[in-house]
Amino acid sequence: FRAIATNLFDENQALLGTVIVVENIGEETNEKERHAEFVSSVAHELKTPMAGIKAYIEMLLDGDCEEEEAEELYGFINEQIDRLTRLVNSMLNLARIESGVVEIKRHDCELNDILKSAADVISPNAGEKDITFTSELSDLYLPVHVDKDMLGQAIINLLSNAVKYTPHGHEVRLRSRMEDNTAVIEVRDTGMGIPENSLPHIFDRFYRVPENNRSAAGTGLGLALVHFIVTNVHNGSISVQSVVNKGTCFTVTIPLGHKEQKKKKQLASPV
Ligand code: ADP
């Protein structure tokens, strides 16, 4: 903290009082540090595919590749460009939501409707991998005051990870229930799991579990976005439990209640 004190005098130079301005410069420094850290991780993430593209192009320019080899190199270049595109799109999406450029449109909604739409998006992906995808949604009406597109996107990210990091023929399950004054959503899979030492980093930007990503394409930004949407935008919580080779369960909680009910509750509560 930084405090600046200024004495105030009247026209006869008599002391009227002292104004003390206390600034939380720690927060400002943290913000700057976080920004610098983000820029340096972005630069690092972009450098890897760019270095790959350059190396492959140099090999092609050398000119002594067989046709088959050249075709393979074009394929690699194409993959790296796809990776760059995914990275840039995910970074823009995250930055726009975090910086508040994207307007948050909260409405009174029913949570199971949002979950059903997310399930419809993911079902075909699960089908392609012969994954048994089941939804066990609460029979109760779950009223929430949320941005349904953003929350839907967060659930889609969790479900698509569950499908991506689960082998053919396994299971993914989406559940909802009511607990006290919150709605609880569970996305569970019987896939490869996350090692214990990776769990503390799983919501960090660009973090990818080294053991899980030999073949799966991704950016390491999906869960950072989910975390932001759940905690910062919707005042909810997210946690993860996982056992390697057994599976993973992400649990999201969202406060229950429609805006009108919340207002009535506030009016009814004693002052
Ligand atoms: P990515 O684009 O790499 O999928 P995410 O931020 O969505 O990035 O996830 C970060 C990392 O967490 C993934 O790279 C993967 O290693 C791990 N992960 C996420 N969900 C699961 C899951 N359901 N099962 C196993 N590992 C997962």
Side-chain angles (χ1 to χ4, degrees):
F1 288 92
R2 174 174 57 198
I4 303 169
T6 314
N7 290 333
L8 295 178
F9 300 94
D10 68 8
E11 61 272 26
N12 302 318
Q13 295 306 304
L15 182 66
L16 286 172
T18 307
V19 176
I20 302 173
V21 178
V22 181
E23 273 182 286
N24 185 352
I25 54 169
E27 221 163 65
E28 197 180 298
T29 318
N30 277 346
E31 185 56 40
K32 276 189 187 148
E33 270 170 20
R34 272 202 301 273
H35 186 249
E37 210 176 281
F38 182 60
V39 171
S40 98
S41 342
V42 167
H44 176 78
E45 292 302 315
L46 295 179
K47 261 187 196 165
T48 316
M50 276 170 13
I53 293 172
K54 190 163 168 51
Y56 297 137
I57 289 184
E58 274 169 3
M59 284 156 91
L60 285 164
L61 283 175
D62 275 351
D64 43 31
C65 296
E66 298 292 325
E67 200 174 317
E68 214 173 287
E69 203 186 338
E71 238 167 65
E72 204 179 5
L73 289 174
Y74 285 125
F76 289 148
I77 292 171
N78 204 22
E79 268 172 33
Q80 295 305 318
I81 290 176
D82 284 347
R83 186 172 164 199
L84 278 175
T85 311
R86 269 198 308 272
L87 263 173
V88 170
N89 286 340
S90 305
M91 281 185 313
L92 281 178
N93 199 12
L94 182 63
R96 285 171 67 229
I97 291 178
E98 278 194 349
S99 64
V101 172
V102 177
E103 195 194 339
I104 300 166
K105 297 184 197 118
R106 288 190 186 83
H107 296 288
D108 288 344
C109 314
E110 206 283 305
L111 184 68
N112 288 320
D113 285 343
I114 299 173
L115 300 183
K116 274 179 212 146
S117 308
D120 288 343
V121 173
I122 290 303
S123 262
N125 301 10
E128 274 169 27
K129 279 182 87 176
D130 280 333
I131 284 175
T132 312
F133 177 44
T134 30
S135 296
E136 289 174 14
L137 302 185
S138 166
D139 292 335
L140 300 171
Y141 182 87
L142 300 176
V144 285
H145 187 68
V146 297
D147 184 316
K148 73 174 194 309
D149 291 338
M150 274 196 203
L151 189 61
Q153 186 56 60
I155 304 301
I156 289 172
N157 281 9
L158 291 177
L159 287 172
S160 93
N161 276 350
V163 169
K164 191 158 76 170
Y165 300 108
T166 295
H168 279 252
H170 276 244
E171 284 172 44
V172 171
R173 202 175 288 258
L174 172 66
R175 281 197 179 122
S176 67
R177 62 174 190 276
M178 190 189 268
E179 224 174 73
D180 303 325
N181 238 350
T182 53
V184 181
I185 307 159
E186 261 179 30
V187 176
R188 188 182 287 273
D189 64 63
T190 58
M192 52 180 62
I194 300 166
E196 209 179 325
N197 61 342
S198 287
L199 285 173
H201 309 289
I202 207 74
F203 297 109
D204 293 351
R205 291 161 174 166
F206 300 115
Y207 184 80
R208 307 193 74 208
V209 178
E211 297 88 334
N212 291 4
N213 292 318
R214 294 211 178 90
S215 53
T219 59
L221 289 171
L223 285 181
L225 183 64
V226 173
H227 189 269
F228 187 85
I229 291 175
V230 170
T231 60
N232 295 56
V233 179
H234 292 106
N235 255 333
S237 70
I238 181 161
S239 58
V240 56
Q241 284 174 312
S242 190
V243 179
V244 171
N245 293 330
K246 285 255 167 1
T248 302
C249 180
F250 283 90
T251 308
V252 170
T253 68
I254 298 289
L256 274 175
H258 277 165
K259 197 176 179 197
E260 286 309 311
Q261 287 174 344
K262 276 186 193 155
K263 265 194 206 155
K264 274 186 209 147
K265 247 193 225 163
Q266 275 166 6
L267 286 176
S269 60
V271 183

